[in-house]
Amino acid sequence: MVDVISRNRAAGFDVVRWLAFSLLCAGGSLGLSWLGPVVPLPTVVRGVGGLLAILVLPLASLLVPMLLLRRAPLKKRKMAWQLIVPLIAGVAMGFFGTAAGGTAALADRGVWADAVVVSADYSSTNHCELRTVDGQDISPSLSESDGCRDSVSKGDELSVRYDPEGVASPDDGRSDSDGVLLATLFGAAVVMGTWGGVRQSKWDREYGDA
């Protein structure tokens, strides 16, 4: 009876512990990527935040449950397949969160202007370098999804919304919201990360009791 109670307590603790960890990793990836364009911080700070959001936290969601196994020898450790989900979802949130943050930044401090296409790059995804009609450069460049389409060429005039701080990418005001996608990715990362972490802990205890 005592063993059953002890195991139930350990299982309950595992759920709480891995739920908190999954919330930290998923919330960190989404929050840092979203805040990057919203708060016009120095480039170095944004770069560090982006690295944490896209690489470090997603990797931590996969590696930490493996590294915290104490009883199973390294060669005999196995990984729960569920942990692949928070890794992929974390990376995706890093990219899509930045785009969502850019849209929010433009909604808050964006300025509409008539711009001239200075140059257009169609090598991979389209990117257009813009300048306002009064000669002010617009940075960053306009992406394909935000208005730099195949039909756009050098010398064309476009009506765009740009960030005076030069942080958020400009758009043509028709960018779609990624709210549903981000919520789905966040939920998947938390649920599957918690599940995978609990399985890892269960395997570790079973190895020690064997």
Side-chain angles (χ1 to χ4, degrees):
M1 183 67 178
V2 175
D3 289 342
V4 173
I5 295 175
S6 178
R7 289 174 183 173
N8 288 338
R9 286 180 177 175
F13 174 73
D14 286 341
V15 172
V16 174
R17 176 177 60 165
W18 291 117
L19 174 61
F21 177 72
S22 297
L23 285 170
L24 175 64
C25 289
S29 289
L30 180 57
L32 288 172
S33 62
W34 188 83
L35 283 174
V38 171
V39 181
L41 297 173
T43 304
V44 174
V45 178
R46 294 200 312 273
V48 172
L51 183 65
L52 288 171
I54 296 174
L55 181 62
V56 176
L57 289 173
L59 279 176
S61 68
L62 173 68
L63 296 179
V64 169
M66 290 288 294
L67 296 176
L68 288 183
L69 299 182
R70 304 297 186 194
R71 303 175 184 180
L74 184 61
K75 292 183 179 180
K76 293 187 178 181
R77 293 180 186 178
K78 51 186 177 179
M79 184 188 72
W81 65 266
Q82 290 87 348
L83 296 176
I84 298 296
V85 176
L87 171 64
I88 297 173
V91 173
M93 282 190 290
F95 285 106
F96 288 107
T98 300
T103 301
L106 290 177
D108 179 52
R109 62 175 184 268
V111 176
W112 281 97
D114 292 327
V116 178
V117 178
V118 178
S119 65
D121 180 10
Y122 306 108
S123 56
S124 53
T125 57
N126 298 354
H127 285 279
C128 295
E129 299 293 336
L130 303 177
R131 182 179 298 157
T132 61
V133 291
D134 59 2
Q136 179 183 347
D137 289 334
I138 295 177
S139 180
S141 60
L142 182 69
S143 66
E144 181 176 1
S145 60
D146 290 326
C148 184
R149 299 175 178 82
D150 292 336
S151 58
V152 176
S153 59
K154 182 178 178 180
D156 288 352
E157 289 192 9
L158 302 174
S159 179
V160 297
R161 181 176 55 171
Y162 73 97
D163 180 9
E165 298 287 345
V167 176
S169 298
D171 67 14
D172 57 4
R174 293 183 288 183
S175 300
D176 296 328
S177 173
D178 294 320
V180 174
L181 174 61
L182 289 171
T184 302
L185 290 171
F186 179 82
V190 171
V191 171
M192 301 303 278
T194 303
W195 185 6
V198 169
R199 290 189 68 192
Q200 295 288 120
S201 295
K202 182 180 178 181
W203 286 337
D204 200 44
R205 284 196 305 272
E206 289 174 348
Y207 184 89
D209 294 338

